Amino acid sequence: MPDESKSELVKRIGERIRRLRKEMNLSQEQLAERSSLHTNYVGQVERGEKNLTLETLEKVVGGLDISLEELFRYIGPMDKQDALGQIVELLVERSVEDQNMALNVLKTVMEWEEKKQ
């Protein structure tokens, strides 16, 4: 893997960690404490300056109280742009509240469609 794509992946992981931390209303200090890491290190990870080891990644997801699957869910680009991929792309950068609202709208439409039949 070329160095450019490695650093791009590290940046995307850091951005994802930052986004999740902010959605949880955690400061870098709080995440560092919950993850047993130094605050400066968390900042470097979020800026894509540090390449995480698996052990450190495990600490971070533990501090965020999420699974590795949830962390990596939207890291890679979607190769297949089917309807589901387009929906994910629209929602991935939105807040949790917006995502929940979209889910409720989708459920309402599906229930309405089922009642028609």
Side-chain angles (χ1 to χ4, degrees):
M1 179 182 289
D3 285 344
E4 279 183 27
S5 55
K6 279 186 189 176
S7 63
E8 183 59 32
L9 178 60
V10 171
K11 287 178 185 176
R12 287 196 316 245
I13 290 171
E15 289 167 359
R16 176 79 172 136
I17 290 169
R18 176 180 285 131
R19 188 172 339 136
L20 289 166
R21 174 182 61 77
K22 287 184 174 185
E23 284 176 4
M24 296 174 180
N25 294 316
L26 294 174
S27 67
Q28 285 184 344
E29 293 80 11
Q30 290 169 317
L31 177 57
E33 185 177 315
R34 291 172 64 162
S35 304
S36 300
L37 298 170
H38 194 279
T39 303
N40 292 344
Y41 188 80
V42 170
Q44 291 171 325
V45 165
E46 288 186 355
R47 291 188 300 275
E49 297 170 0
K50 287 288 184 185
N51 195 357
L52 293 163
T53 65
L54 291 175
E55 287 97 7
T56 305
L57 193 58
E58 185 176 42
K59 288 179 180 183
V60 170
V61 298
L64 291 169
D65 196 28
I66 60 171
S67 66
L68 283 169
E69 187 274 331
E70 187 173 349
L71 174 67
F72 286 110
R73 187 175 294 157
Y74 306 117
I75 295 292
M78 300 288 286
D79 292 334
K80 187 177 168 187
Q81 279 301 322
D82 57 6
L84 184 57
Q86 290 176 25
I87 292 168
V88 169
E89 193 171 305
L90 285 171
L91 293 175
V92 71
E93 297 294 327
R94 305 300 302 207
S95 68
V96 173
E97 293 82 17
D98 286 354
Q99 291 172 6
N100 286 329
M101 181 182 64
L103 176 61
N104 289 333
V105 168
L106 184 58
K107 284 180 178 179
T108 301
V109 169
M110 299 300 255
E111 289 170 4
W112 175 76
E113 187 64 31
E114 285 177 11
K115 288 179 183 176
K116 278 184 10 182
Q117 296 175 6

